[in-house]
Every structure is written in C-alpha cells, then in structure tokens.
Amino acid sequence: MAIATLAAVSLPSIAAVSQRFHHGGRHIGPRFSARYVVSIAPSDIGRRVSLRRRLPSGAYSDVVGELRGWADGLLTVRRRDGTDVEVPEADLVAGKVVPPPPPRRAPRS
C-alpha cells in the first residue's frame, strides 16, 4: 500500500492512501477516512459552531464560536475572546454545530 502526500489536491496536506472514495473523502488507513462536510445552516445562528476555512495561501484555519450572522454569503462568528471573524461562504470547507465549552475550572492554589 503506497502512501502519498496530498499537496496539490483540494484536501489538506496529510499522508493518505491515494484511493478516492465516492463521498469525496480520502482513505487514510484500514479504519479511517477524512471527509469534510458542511452541516450548518442559517437556522443555526446563535449556536456554537466549528468552521474550517481555506485561506488565500491554500492553508486551512479553524474558527470556533457563536454563529452571529449569515448574510450575502458571509458568516460571522464571535470567538470566546469577543472578536468577530467573517468567513466567506465560498471559503468554507467544513462546518458543524458543537456543544458548549466545558465550564472553566477554578485556578489551583
């Protein structure tokens, strides 16, 4: 089984067997395949989401936070630090609703 690095393909750079699946993912090993799915909709505004976007450099970046808006092909996500990030819908590679973050633990004394 030959291992190839997927640098020139639209998937992230990962070591993978070069067999393409019908669902758009790539077969990584005997029990794992990577597949990117956007499973959010404008009806998820107000919920916590995780988005993976493609940057102009071709790299990927993740944004996690509350989906604040989705208009004119632009998603707005508020991160936990209060900053808003705008993600063009065309750059969206994957997205899903995620559970709320766990409560912060008290600092150790």
Side-chain angles (χ1 to χ4, degrees), residues 6 9 11 38 40-41 45 59 62-64 67 81 92 94 103 108:
L6 307 172
V9 184
L11 296 174
V38 176
I40 60 170
I45 291 175
D62 292 340
V63 178
V64 178
L67 183 61
D81 65 3
L92 196 58
R108 292 184 175 177

Side-chain angles (χ1 to χ4, degrees), residues 32-106:
F32 179 78
S33 66
R35 181 171 70 177
Y36 294 105
V37 177
V38 176
S39 60
I40 60 170
S43 61
D44 292 318
I45 291 175
R47 298 180 74 186
R48 186 168 183 255
V49 296
S50 173
L51 305 178
R52 175 157 291 165
R53 61 185 169 164
R54 181 180 276 274
L55 300 174
S57 67
Y60 292 88
S61 174
D62 292 340
V63 178
V64 178
E66 180 188 349
L67 183 61
R68 304 283 291 181
W70 189 333
D72 300 325
L74 197 63
L75 289 81
T76 305
V77 177
R78 176 155 298 159
R79 290 184 165 159
R80 101 177 134 192
D81 65 3
T83 60
D84 285 345
V85 178
E86 292 184 339
V87 178
E89 197 172 331
D91 296 344
L92 196 58
V93 176
K96 64 182 181 179
V97 174
V98 294
R104 295 195 176 235
R105 296 192 304 193

